C-alpha cells in the first residue's frame, strides 16, 4: 500500500484521563518497527474491560487508546515479519503468543510473557507508536483498536479466513472466546451436569453457549437485570433468576432449586462478592467455580477457607483457559486457536448474531458505552 513506511494520520478515540469522556482526535500512527504489524481496523467491539480503565478498576497510563476486540486488515509490516503480509485479514490479540516463553511452550499454559494486563502501555521495544497533539499516547493490552489504524507486535496478530465478516468475527478476539472457552476448556463441563452463570452480558452468554455445547442438562443464568433473561434463554439457559427476588443467600437458593447438584459455577462480572457467592454455590465436594470476570486491580478477596477444604476447585481463566494451579489446562493458544474458531464460525458451529445487539459507526463510540452502562446492549460493535 502507498502508506507503507510513512506516518499515517487518522481518527482515534483518545482517553485523556480516568472518568473522562472519549475524545475523537486526529492522531499520528508511526510505521511498524521490526517484528511489528500496522493494521487498518475494520470493526471493534465494546467490552466491559475497556470500561474498567475508564473507571480506574484497571491500571493504565494516560492518554491511552483503548479497545481490544477487533478485526482488521494488515496495511504494512516491519522487518522480519513472516506470519502475515499486507492485505491479510487479522484479529489483534490482547493475549499474545510469542511461541518462545515458558507459558507458550507449556501445553497447559496460555498467558504469554508478552501479555500486558498491568498497564505497561507500550510495545515490546518499550515505546509507543501513537502521537496526539505532540504527546505520546499509550497502547492498551498490546492492541488499541479504538482507532482507524493501530500497530501491534507480530505475536499479537492472528491471520484469519478472509471470508469472515468483521463485525461478527471481532467477538472472537475477546468476549466469545473467553466465555465459551471458560466452559469447554477451563471448567471442562461434562454432559448432563448442572451449571450456573453469574452475569449475563456478552461473555456470560458465551459461557452459556459453551455449557450447552458441552452437553450440560441444566444451565441457570443469574443477573439483577431481568431484561437479559430472554437473550440468555435464547442461547441455551434453561432458567434465569434474580438474586434480589430472594431473602436467602444465592448459594442456598441454588441448592434448594437443584437438590444440591450444582457442579460448575462461573463468575462473569468481576465483583469480589459474587466471586465468593459463585464459589459457595457449587457443590462443596466436587464443584468447580471459575473466575471469568476481570477482577478490580489492587483489591484483596476474603473468603472462608473451609469452602475449599471440603473439596471444591476454584479456577482462574484468561482468554478461555486456566492460568495457574496443579490442574491447569491450556486455554486458547491465541495465534493457533483464533483462526480455528473463525473457521468454526464460518462453518456455523456457533451463532454470534445473538450476542450482537447494536452496530454503530466508530464516531458513535460514546453512544456505544451508554448502551453498555444502561444494560441495553449485549455487544455493541463499532465499524469504520
Amino acid at each position: 500500500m502507498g502508506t507503507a513506511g510513512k506516518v499515517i494520520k487518522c481518527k482515534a478515540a483518545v482517553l485523556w484521563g480516568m472518568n473522562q469522556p472519549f475524545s475523537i482526535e486526529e492522531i499520528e500512527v508511526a510505521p511498524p518497527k521490526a517484528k511489528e504489524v500496522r493494521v487498518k481496523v475494520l470493526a471493534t467491539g465494546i467490552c466491559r474491560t475497556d470500561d474498567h480503565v475508564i473507571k480506574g478498576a484497571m491500571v493504565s497510563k494516560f492518554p491511552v487508546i483503548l479497545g481490544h476486540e477487533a478485526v482488521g486488515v494488515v496495511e504494512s509490516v516491519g522487518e522480519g515479519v513472516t506470519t502475515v503480509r499486507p492485505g491479510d485479514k487479522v484479529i489483534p490479540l490482547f493475549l499474545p503468543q510469542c511461541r518462545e516463553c515458558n507459558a507458550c511452550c507449556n501445553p497447559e499454559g496460555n498467558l504469554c510473557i508478552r501479555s500486558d494486563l498491568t498497564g505497561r502501555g507500550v510495545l515490546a521495544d518499550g515505546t509507543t507508536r501513537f502521537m496526539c497533539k505532540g504527546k505520546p499516547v499509550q497502547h492498551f493490552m498490546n492492541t488499541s483498536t479504538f482507532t482507524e489504524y493501530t500497530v501491534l507486535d507480530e505475536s499479537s496478530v492472528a491471520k484469519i479466513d478472509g471470508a469472515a465478516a468483521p463485525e461478527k468475527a471481532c467477538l472472537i478476539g475477546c468476549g466469545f472466546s473467553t466465555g465459551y472457552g471458560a466452559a469447554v476448556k477451563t471448567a471442562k463441563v461434562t454432559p448432563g451436569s448442572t451449571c450456573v452463570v453469574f452475569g449475563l452480558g456478552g461473555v456470560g452468554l458465551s459461557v452459556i453457549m459453551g455449557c450447552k455445547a458441552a452437553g450440560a442438562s441444566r444451565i441457570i443464568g443469574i443477573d439483577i437485570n431481568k431484561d437479559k433473561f430472554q437473550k440468555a434463554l435464547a442461547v441455551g439457559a434453561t432458567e434465569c433468576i434474580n438474586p434480589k427476588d430472594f431473602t436467602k443467600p444465592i448459594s442456598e437458593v441454588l441448592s434448594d432449586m437443584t437438590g444440591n447438584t450444582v457442579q460448575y459455577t462461573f463468575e462473569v462480572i468481576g465483583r469480589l462478592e459474587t466471586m465468593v457467592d459463585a464459589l459457595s454455590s457449587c457443590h462443596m465436594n466436587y464443584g468447580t467455580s471459575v473466575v471469568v470476570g476481570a477482577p478490580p486491580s489492587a483489591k484483596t478477596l476474603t473468603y472462608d477457607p473451609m469452602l475449599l477444604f471440603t473439596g471444591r476447585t476454584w479456577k482462574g481463566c484468561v482468554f478461555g483457559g486456566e492460568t495457574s494451579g496443579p490442574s491447569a489446562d491450556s486455554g486458547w493458544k491465541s495465534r493457533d486457536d483464533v483462526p480455528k474458531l473463525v473457521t468454526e464460525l464460518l462453518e456455523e458451529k456457533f451463532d454470534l448474531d445473538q450476542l450482537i445487539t447494536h452496530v454503530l459507526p466508530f464516531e458513535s463510540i460514546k453512544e456505544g458505552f451508554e448502551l453498555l452502562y444502561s444494560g441495553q446492549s449485549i455487544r455493541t460493535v463499532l465499524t469504520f
Side-chain angles (χ1 to χ4, degrees):
M1 295 185 184
T3 46
K6 301 172 185 171
V7 171
I8 290 178
K9 290 185 178 181
C10 69
K11 288 211 166 40
V14 178
L15 190 70
W16 290 97
M18 207 189 315
N19 292 315
Q20 292 190 20
F22 285 104
S23 179
I24 303 291
E25 307 274 10
E26 182 180 81
I27 65 163
E28 296 175 356
V29 184
K33 295 186 181 180
K35 296 283 188 179
E36 293 176 359
V37 180
R38 189 160 59 183
V39 171
K40 177 180 173 59
V41 181
L42 301 175
T44 182
I46 292 176
C47 176
R48 180 71 68 175
T49 305
D50 300 307
D51 182 54
H52 286 343
V53 176
I54 300 171
K55 300 286 199 297
M58 248 181 114
V59 176
S60 178
K61 297 168 187 165
F62 297 97
V64 64
I65 295 172
L66 300 180
H68 62 283
E69 185 181 84
V71 167
V73 61
V74 176
E75 173 269 337
S76 61
V77 299
E79 184 185 343
V81 171
T82 58
T83 57
V84 294
R85 60 188 181 190
D88 284 348
K89 195 174 276 186
V90 295
I91 287 182
L93 306 169
F94 76 87
L95 199 69
Q97 186 185 355
C98 70
R99 298 181 172 143
E100 295 169 356
C101 72
N102 56 13
C104 283
C105 292
N106 190 311
E108 296 184 338
N110 76 338
L111 188 58
C112 177
I113 196 171
R114 294 195 178 183
S115 303
D116 181 14
L117 305 180
T118 56
R120 214 169 48 239
V122 289
L123 295 184
D125 76 338
T127 63
T128 170
R129 300 293 163 269
F130 302 128
M131 294 288 290
C132 182
K133 299 178 180 175
K135 294 180 180 176
V137 178
Q138 303 296 307
H139 294 250
F140 175 59
M141 292 173 80
N142 298 310
T143 47
S144 291
T145 59
F146 291 164
T147 169
E148 291 177 295
Y149 287 87
T150 188
V151 178
L152 310 105
D153 293 306
E154 183 181 16
S155 57
S156 295
V157 179
K159 180 183 175 182
I160 63 169
D161 191 314
E167 68 277 7
K168 294 182 186 179
C170 65
L171 269 65
I172 291 173
C174 176
F176 173 74
S177 305
T178 296
Y180 191 80
V184 301
K185 292 183 81 73
T186 309
K188 290 191 172 69
V189 168
T190 52
S193 59
T194 296
C195 302
V196 177
V197 181
F198 290 74
L200 302 178
V203 181
L205 295 183
S206 300
V207 173
I208 291 173
M209 292 165 75
C211 292
K212 183 181 178 183
S217 61
R218 196 168 179 187
I219 305 168
I220 303 170
I222 298 181
D223 205 294
I224 57 173
N225 181 354
K226 289 186 175 181
D227 294 343
K228 297 192 172 178
F229 290 179
Q230 186 178 350
K231 186 73 81 168
L233 294 167
V235 301
T238 53
E239 61 227 280
C240 295
I241 59 173
N242 180 347
K244 293 191 170 179
D245 290 343
F246 304 91
T247 52
K248 288 196 289 190
I250 194 68
S251 56
E252 291 182 27
V253 172
L254 289 164
S255 180
D256 292 346
M257 282 176 66
T258 63
N260 193 26
T261 58
V262 176
Q263 191 164 351
Y264 304 100
T265 63
F266 302 86
E267 201 281 354
V268 204
I269 304 165
R271 289 182 71 246
L272 302 184
E273 298 83 359
T274 40
M275 289 175 189
V276 179
D277 284 343
L279 179 65
S280 306
S281 298
C282 69
H283 191 277
M284 66 186 295
N285 180 232
Y286 59 77
T288 294
S289 187
V290 183
V291 176
V292 188
S297 58
K299 290 284 190 293
T300 304
L301 192 62
T302 303
Y303 68 97
D304 180 355
M306 189 57 74
L307 290 171
L308 293 179
F309 180 74
T310 55
R312 288 180 180 90
T313 301
W314 207 3
K315 289 186 169 186
C317 158
V318 63
F319 201 51
E322 198 197 354
T323 55
S324 64
S327 59
D329 171 57
S330 166
W332 308 115
K333 296 270 193 184
S334 56
R335 278 207 281 175
D336 295 342
D337 288 331
V338 161
K340 295 174 190 170
L341 285 167
V342 171
T343 299
E344 289 185 7
L345 171 66
L346 292 170
E347 292 169 349
E348 299 182 358
K349 297 264 180 78
F350 43 81
D351 177 16
L352 298 186
D353 288 347
Q354 300 179 90
L355 303 178
I356 301 165
T357 50
H358 300 79
V359 179
L360 300 173
F362 173 64
E363 289 76 12
S364 299
I365 184 168
K366 292 179 190 174
E367 182 187 339
F369 273 86
E370 287 302 323
L371 289 165
L372 176 72
Y373 300 147
S374 65
Q376 294 175 63
S377 66
I378 300 297
R379 258 305 186 269
T380 295
V381 176
L382 306 172
T383 56
F384 291 83

